[in-house]
Structure formats: structure tokens, C-alpha cells
Amino acid sequence: MTDFQRQALTLAQEQTSPEWLTPLREQGAARWAAAAWPTRKTELWKYTPLTPLQNTCPSQWAVKPNGDWQQGIEPIEELDATRLVFINGQFSAEHSSALPEAVVRFADANAGQSELIKQHLGKPLYVLNVSTPEAEPAVSNQRLLMVLDDNSQAEVIEHFLSSAEQQNGFVNTLTEVVVGANAQVQHYRINLEQEDLLHVGGVHVDLH
């Protein structure tokens, strides 16, 4: 196990989450600990150098910034969409739209909603993710689950931005989409972060 893997496990143990997510988190931690770290000889990673990530090795969770963090941040204003804003991976109700009933945060899910999330786990929806630098390199883990019932339709925009300063963080994102029979989804990912911000992202779709 590399130093990065070991540090990631340590940080994961410090993170709080709803109790019903504990089994899934423990399963993920076990798979992470057992996974072999990819090298340039690993076919699926041969064109993705991981040395910058190993050298950074974040030692803390990113926190909401103080001061004028909005400098250089230009969200898409003219969208007719429900906006969800996450700053360094943390939801900001202050900068987000009022959430409709169809949009539920994991932390606020009721018993029925949490069962639906566990079963699948994760109008236009606009998810804005903002990153800012920390005093020490920090990590921001972000996860989005979209479940479309049969014959439903949705449009989702994921927008990744960073403040104008030099960045020193690591953003780790995962988007999971479950598309029911005869359902339609339009999914956009816009990445306009500073080039010195480390970003690893994945989109996985279960298509019926």
C-alpha cells in the first residue's frame, strides 16, 4: 500500500456520514486497501501519470474558505435550472437554489429515500463545484447519484471551477447514473479548473 492510499484511508475514517451509509463506506475502504496502485505499466493508466498525486498526498479535508473566494468564479447565470453549489466538496445552501422535493441530500434523506440510494448506490439540475486552495494540500471527495425511473427525463450539468489563486488541492469525483427503461438523460461535465489543481473523475452509467 502506498503512502497516498494509507493517508486516504486515514482521512476517510475521520469523515462523518449518515449511519446507513456505514456498510458501503467500509466496503469501499476494504477494496481501496486491497487495490494495487497503478503504474505506467498498468494498461488502463499508462497515459495518466500519478506522481503529482503521490507527491501531494493530502493530509486534511478541505474546508469552506474565508475571504473573497468568489474572485474569478463565473457560474452560468442564465440557466433555467436548480443550482447546487459545493465549495471544496461541502454543500453551500447560501449559494444554492431552494431545493425541490425531487432533490435530496444524502444527509437529509428519510428512511424511504435512503433505501432507494442504497439500492442503486448515489428539470435541468446544475451542480457547481468550486475549489479553493488551503494552507496545506487538501482533498475534496464528491459523489453524485442520479436515478431516473422508467419513462422519465432529466438534464444535469456538472460544472467544476476553481478560484483565481494557485491551487494545491486534489478533487476526487464520482458520478453514478441509473437510467430506467425508456428514460432519457442529458449529462454535461464542464471542467474549467486551474491547471495546477489535481482532478480525478469518473462517470458510471447503469443503462436499462
Side-chain angles (χ1 to χ4, degrees), residues 42-57:
T42 306
E43 182 63 27
L44 293 177
W45 290 86
K46 63 189 300 183
Y47 300 113
T48 307
L50 295 177
T51 302
L53 190 59
Q54 292 174 278
N55 291 342
T56 301
C57 202

Side-chain angles (χ1 to χ4, degrees), residues 99-105 113 123 125 147:
L99 299 186
E101 293 184 3
V103 179
V104 178
R105 299 179 61 213
Q113 292 163 340
K123 292 251 180 180
L125 181 63
V147 180

Side-chain angles (χ1 to χ4, degrees), residues 33-79:
W37 188 255
T39 68
R40 299 302 288 269
K41 294 182 179 180
T42 306
E43 182 63 27
L44 293 177
W45 290 86
K46 63 189 300 183
Y47 300 113
T48 307
L50 295 177
T51 302
L53 190 59
Q54 292 174 278
N55 291 342
T56 301
C57 202
S59 59
Q60 62 182 8
W61 288 109
V63 297
K64 289 186 178 180
N66 296 317
D68 188 18
W69 61 268
Q70 298 186 59
Q71 180 183 359
I73 301 298
E74 298 181 359
I76 304 173
E77 299 289 353
E78 63 273 15
L79 282 177

Side-chain angles (χ1 to χ4, degrees), residues 18 20-21 104-106 108-121 145:
W20 53 268
L21 274 177
V104 178
R105 299 179 61 213
F106 281 13
D108 300 328
N110 60 32
Q113 292 163 340
S114 63
E115 285 300 320
L116 177 63
I117 295 171
K118 286 191 292 183
Q119 176 184 348
H120 291 284
L121 215 71
L145 172 67

Side-chain angles (χ1 to χ4, degrees), residues 13-178:
Q13 292 172 354
E14 298 173 358
Q15 191 176 30
T16 60
S17 64
E19 185 176 350
W20 53 268
L21 274 177
T22 299
L24 184 62
R25 287 169 53 86
E26 292 177 345
Q27 179 184 4
R31 292 182 62 182
W32 173 257
W37 188 255
T39 68
R40 299 302 288 269
K41 294 182 179 180
T42 306
E43 182 63 27
L44 293 177
W45 290 86
K46 63 189 300 183
Y47 300 113
T48 307
L50 295 177
T51 302
L53 190 59
Q54 292 174 278
N55 291 342
T56 301
C57 202
S59 59
Q60 62 182 8
W61 288 109
V63 297
K64 289 186 178 180
N66 296 317
D68 188 18
W69 61 268
Q70 298 186 59
Q71 180 183 359
I73 301 298
E74 298 181 359
I76 304 173
E77 299 289 353
E78 63 273 15
L79 282 177
D80 181 16
T82 298
R83 175 181 298 177
L84 304 180
V85 178
F86 295 84
I87 305 172
N88 291 341
Q90 299 182 47
F91 178 68
S92 174
E94 175 186 357
H95 298 92
S96 300
S97 305
L99 299 186
E101 293 184 3
V103 179
V104 178
R105 299 179 61 213
F106 281 13
D108 300 328
N110 60 32
Q113 292 163 340
S114 63
E115 285 300 320
L116 177 63
I117 295 171
K118 286 191 292 183
Q119 176 184 348
H120 291 284
L121 215 71
K123 292 251 180 180
L125 181 63
Y126 176 39
V127 183
L128 176 61
N129 296 283
V130 178
S131 297
T132 65
E134 303 286 331
E136 297 293 334
V139 62
S140 171
N141 288 335
Q142 303 166 22
R143 190 164 189 167
L144 176 65
L145 172 67
M146 294 184 283
V147 180
L148 280 77
D149 289 335
D150 295 353
N151 305 303
S152 63
Q153 183 175 354
E155 184 176 11
V156 179
I157 301 169
E158 288 188 275
H159 193 179
F160 297 90
L161 288 173
S162 59
S163 55
E165 309 102 308
Q166 182 174 352
Q167 304 292 314
N168 64 348
F170 166 49
V171 175
N172 178 37
T173 74
L174 175 62
T175 298
E176 296 172 290
V177 187
V178 181

